[in-house]
Amino acid sequence: MRDLSREDRERNDGRTSVELETALALIERDVAPIVETERVPLAEGLGRVLSEDVRMEGDLPPFDRSPLDGYALRSADTQGAAPDAPVVLSVTDTVHAGRMGSVAVVPGTAVRLMTGAPIPEGADCVVPFERVEEGGETIRLSFPLGRHENYCFRGEDIRKGTTAARTGTRVDSRSIGVLASSGLTLLPVRRRPRIAVFSTGDELVPPGTPLGPGKIHDSNSLVLDFALRELAPGLAPRNLGHMPDDVEHVAEVIRGLSDCDLVVTSGGVSTGDKDIFHDVFDRLGARTIFRRVMVKPGTPVMVVRMGRTVLAALSGNPFAMFVDLQLFVRPILAALTGDAGLLLRPETAEMENDYPKRSRMRRFLRAALRGSCVRAPEPGESSPGMIAKMADSDVLIDIPAGNGGLRVGDVVRIWRAR
Ligand code: AMP
Ligand code: MG
């Protein structure tokens, strides 16, 4: 992450654009993590972020056990065993997983074990069923075994007292296994972020309502709502629908959301007569984090803070809003929750077609990913206001400022957005 130079800070105090990296550094600096914690039952932990390291209360596995169905025996008994000099051992017990055997393995004996059964005292190795000749009360072996062959040690997976999962781990199907085995019943987690979303625009009517002259259906509030829910299990924004372009009304709504950690809105951030958010934020006395970023589309994005609430006012153009959401709302949420898994990760891919348009400013282009290739939209398909192709776009192609156009086969940086 880039350091903030004095020039960047000064720029940010005014209303000129900052670069993407500066905006991200400002988010990191100015968005404080949620510190409140709670304890939730393991089964309700999906998507939560650990607020403390979790330690193992016991060893895993808790006892020496067999990794396969076989016979536990003493390796010393098998020394010198060969096809022409087999060793015969008598079988003295059978132990299934979940039970303890009652018999120790003494010289000349073996105990039948199923996978996961505790290895009886006296035995130091296990031979699989299929590698011995089974004869009811006895087994014959024609090869020697080494000490601890096919043998799982108590604590070999993870030892008592060691860290099962670190602070900041997002609880998911990969991390819950060790947590469930740790002995803990309640997970220490950070409070979930409280989020509200709404869109603004006098032209908006709710989906399903007939359109009057000049009106459009509000799609953005649902896009924001769903996009946030998709980012992490259990994120559940309050969706307030749409609001008119009315400074006092919108300011009042935001005043009522002071219990939220994050409010995400769409529309009203550009320089038109009805672009109300400059006035809204001034009226609210909000502290600017940044108010314009040198990326296209989505340049006029505003991120400000009021008390503990971060307000992210995104472009109203649906695709511009989508870009702002990926570029700025993900890092804001990552900073709030401490969950770095929410951040987009850059990858590379090869262009499958030409994208001839020049990019004076850094541009993010929606594209479909096919294997290691990306297909950029054709001219006329990719304007920031167009929604139709959004469903096909998996990634954003990150085109550097000053680029003269992309050609088939060019290797480009992409950000996977789903
Ligand atoms: P704005 O950012 O408010 O200037 O809006 C830019 C463009 O996006 C305009 O064409 C709006 O009509 C359109 N737009 C704004 N909000 C929404 C919304 N909630 N759903 C769909 N389109 C929108
Ligand atoms: Mg508008």
Side-chain angles (χ1 to χ4, degrees):
M1 189 68 44
R2 185 174 137 174
D3 280 341
L4 295 175
S5 67
R6 209 172 98 210
E7 188 193 346
D8 287 331
R9 286 198 300 270
E10 282 168 2
R11 264 219 226 131
N12 180 54
D13 293 338
R15 291 191 180 178
T16 43
S17 311
V18 296
E19 284 192 44
L20 176 57
E21 275 68 27
T22 306
L24 297 178
L26 288 164
I27 287 172
E28 219 171 61
R29 191 192 67 182
D30 289 349
V31 177
I34 295 168
V35 291
E36 297 99 311
T37 61
E38 55 193 352
R39 293 193 182 253
V40 298
L42 281 166
E44 288 162 29
L46 181 63
R48 305 305 297 265
V49 177
L50 293 181
S51 57
E52 298 168 20
D53 288 356
V54 171
R55 290 190 186 285
M56 292 298 290
E57 290 179 6
D59 285 323
L60 181 67
F63 45 83
D64 292 1
R65 70 181 176 192
S66 176
L68 42 79
D69 298 321
Y71 292 91
L73 46 85
R74 297 156 57 93
S75 56
D77 285 355
T78 67
Q79 297 320 299
D84 56 351
V87 166
V88 178
L89 302 173
S90 52
V91 178
T92 53
D93 197 7
T94 295
V95 187
H96 297 154
R99 307 246 165 228
M100 290 303 290
S102 51
V103 176
V105 171
V106 296
T109 68
V111 165
R112 249 170 87 82
L113 294 184
M114 307 309 140
T115 305
I119 292 179
E121 223 186 291
D124 66 3
C125 64
V126 179
V127 61
F129 288 164
E130 57 278 14
R131 300 213 56 200
V132 300
E133 241 178 81
E134 295 182 280
E137 312 279 277
T138 59
I139 52 167
R140 283 158 76 89
L141 260 113
S142 51
F143 61 93
L145 275 111
R147 240 168 98 72
H148 300 140
E149 219 171 295
N150 304 315
Y151 192 105
C152 290
F153 290 94
R154 170 181 182 159
E156 72 171 19
D157 193 346
I158 179 160
R159 285 202 176 285
K160 178 177 175 172
T162 56
T163 304
R166 298 204 172 279
T167 310
T169 300
R170 185 203 285 202
V171 180
D172 59 13
S173 61
R174 286 166 300 166
S175 52
I176 193 64
V178 70
L179 290 167
S181 308
S182 71
L184 202 82
T185 50
L186 294 174
L187 292 173
V189 293
R190 299 206 176 130
R191 175 173 67 67
R192 275 205 175 103
R194 289 189 281 262
I195 307 174
V197 301
F198 63 89
S199 54
T200 60
D202 287 340
E203 72 277 39
L204 304 175
V205 298
T209 306
L211 295 173
K215 303 290 184 187
I216 59 168
H217 287 129
D218 166 28
S219 58
N220 285 353
S221 62
L222 281 171
V223 174
L224 286 176
D225 181 356
F226 283 21
L228 290 167
R229 284 174 200 272
E230 279 168 2
L231 278 184
L235 279 189
R238 254 182 282 167
N239 184 348
L240 307 181
H242 68 94
M243 313 273 161
D245 289 318
D246 176 330
V247 174
E248 193 40 57
H249 179 79
V250 170
E252 204 45 48
V253 168
I254 292 176
R255 274 193 205 101
L257 295 172
S258 60
D259 65 321
C260 284
D261 302 292
L262 175 62
V263 177
V264 186
T265 65
S266 94
V269 289
S270 201
T271 49
D273 296 347
K274 291 282 190 172
D275 288 327
I276 57 171
F277 274 92
H278 298 284
D279 291 343
V280 168
F281 289 154
D282 289 347
R283 184 162 307 198
L284 290 170
R287 191 172 155 261
T288 298
I289 298 178
F290 53 83
R291 288 201 184 195
R292 277 178 79 77
V293 184
M294 283 187 264
V295 293
K296 254 184 176 332
T299 317
V301 54
M302 300 162 74
V303 175
V304 306
R305 233 179 51 192
M306 271 183 64
R308 62 191 279 162
T309 309
V310 178
L311 301 147
L314 315 184
S315 295
N317 271 316
F319 179 60
M321 180 189 76
F322 179 80
V323 170
D324 285 341
L325 186 78
Q326 302 299 330
L327 296 183
F328 307 110
V329 177
R330 278 176 180 260
I332 292 170
L333 271 173
L336 283 171
T337 60
D339 180 1
L342 293 168
L343 296 171
L344 287 176
R345 264 174 247 289
E347 296 169 38
T348 54
E350 215 174 278
M351 289 294 290
E352 194 180 274
N353 57 340
D354 288 342
Y355 179 77
K357 192 167 167 175
R358 297 162 64 92
S359 300
R360 268 202 308 132
M361 207 187 274
R362 186 167 178 181
R363 181 191 301 282
F364 286 86
L365 194 62
R366 67 187 109 179
L369 186 66
R370 299 177 191 171
S372 58
C373 292
V374 274
R375 182 157 197 91
E378 302 300 329
E381 281 181 351
S382 67
S383 103
M386 293 169 86
I387 315 182
K389 293 285 167 191
M390 266 192 24
D392 304 335
S393 57
D394 318 295
V395 298
L396 297 173
I397 303 178
D398 178 359
I399 307 177
N403 182 276
L406 298 171
R407 302 249 164 280
V408 177
D410 282 356
V411 173
V412 288
R413 204 150 95 115
I414 58 166
W415 302 78
R416 201 185 279 263
R418 77 159 121 208

